[in-house]
Amino acid sequence: MDQNVEFILERRVERTMEALVKNRMEAYYAPSAEKAKEAVISLLREGAVVSHGGSQTLIECGIIDELRSGKYNYLDRSAPGLSKEQVTEIYRRSFFADYYLGSANAITEEGELFNVDGNGNRVAAYIYGPQNVILVAGINKIVPDIESALTRLRKMAAPANVKRLECETPCFRTGECMNCHTPGRICCDYVVQGFQRVPGRIKVVLVGEPLGY
């Protein structure tokens, strides 16, 4: 990477981490996906109840594989043979987890977490329930402000996730959010998290490379 570009990205990460800390979230930096996995493992307690929301970032970092290692009481929403009712029950049980993992659709340089959900289970757990929330986000998720976060959602995160999940929505074909009113819509619940009443409950690991959508 060009050293001048690297300088700009480093300052962006620093500003974001400082803002997250001001909003009473813990902030960590990992230069790579592998280091991000190590950072997450260091924050987990073996034997603890662990769950997560849907996240391409967690997959790319190898964190999902770590959760299946047997070290944790892992609520595996993707276990083979689960019925729709059983998956829903895991969603509900996740609110009592010791650790809930995920990523963010965007993180502003003002220390705000921006997330949009279809079912609402992921953003609900981010807000309340699990004792600890650990979010892993690549440098591509950092944006200046909420307006930029919304643009990022419409132009990248939503259509990319729709392709991943094979949802029957207009953006599956257009590659851009159309603000649709279809049953497969994944952009139903919009949540912004800023200053937190419970300090340290949310832990954010920023990664110095692009990850996820």
Side-chain angles (χ1 to χ4, degrees):
M1 181 184 297
D2 178 88
Q3 63 179 2
N4 300 312
V5 174
E6 186 174 3
F7 170 81
I8 293 171
L9 295 178
E10 287 176 352
R11 298 295 84 74
R12 183 177 299 168
V13 170
E14 287 177 3
R15 287 194 298 272
T16 304
M17 292 181 68
E18 289 173 0
L20 288 168
V21 171
K22 286 182 180 178
N23 281 339
R24 301 219 287 188
M25 305 179 211
E26 294 181 11
Y28 303 86
Y29 177 73
S32 65
E34 180 60 33
K35 292 298 182 181
K37 177 182 175 181
E38 293 177 7
V40 170
I41 291 174
S42 73
L43 294 171
L44 296 175
R45 184 181 76 253
E46 291 192 16
V49 178
V50 182
S51 188
H52 62 83
S55 170
Q56 180 67 19
T57 296
L58 294 183
I59 295 172
E60 292 177 11
C61 290
I63 293 171
I64 303 299
D65 292 334
E66 168 64 20
L67 298 183
R68 292 184 174 131
S69 66
K71 300 176 184 177
Y72 315 98
N73 183 354
Y74 173 40
L75 304 180
D76 190 353
R77 51 187 267 168
S78 300
L82 291 180
S83 66
K84 183 178 180 180
E85 291 73 20
Q86 288 172 317
V87 172
T88 299
E89 180 59 24
I90 288 177
Y91 288 169
R92 295 181 183 279
R93 290 172 57 197
S94 295
F95 286 99
F96 299 94
D98 298 307
Y99 300 91
Y100 192 88
L101 279 60
S103 188
N105 295 127
I107 300 176
T108 76
E109 292 180 40
E110 298 170 1
E112 300 158 311
L113 308 178
F114 177 85
N115 284 286
V116 180
D117 208 353
N119 293 320
N121 60 292
R122 178 175 65 98
V123 294
Y126 287 2
I127 295 171
Y128 188 82
Q131 293 180 3
N132 298 276
V133 173
I134 303 174
L135 305 182
V136 183
I139 197 169
N140 52 312
K141 302 287 187 74
I142 298 177
V143 297
D145 49 37
I146 292 299
E147 183 177 352
S148 302
L150 184 58
T151 299
R152 184 179 193 284
L153 171 81
R154 295 174 61 87
K155 300 290 187 180
M156 174 57 69
N161 276 301
V162 159
K163 292 294 288 187
R164 174 174 67 91
L165 299 171
E166 298 184 348
C167 299
E168 289 297 326
T169 61
C171 64
F172 184 87
R173 298 184 297 275
T174 66
E176 181 176 352
C177 177
M178 307 299 291
N179 192 28
C180 69
H181 292 72
T182 59
R185 178 176 170 133
I186 66 170
C187 303
C188 299
D189 302 297
Y190 291 65
V191 170
V192 176
Q193 291 174 277
F195 184 84
Q196 297 293 294
R197 283 191 175 184
V198 181
R201 174 180 175 267
I202 296 177
K203 302 160 180 57
V204 181
V205 180
L206 292 176
V207 189
E209 61 183 42
L211 291 169
Y213 311 128

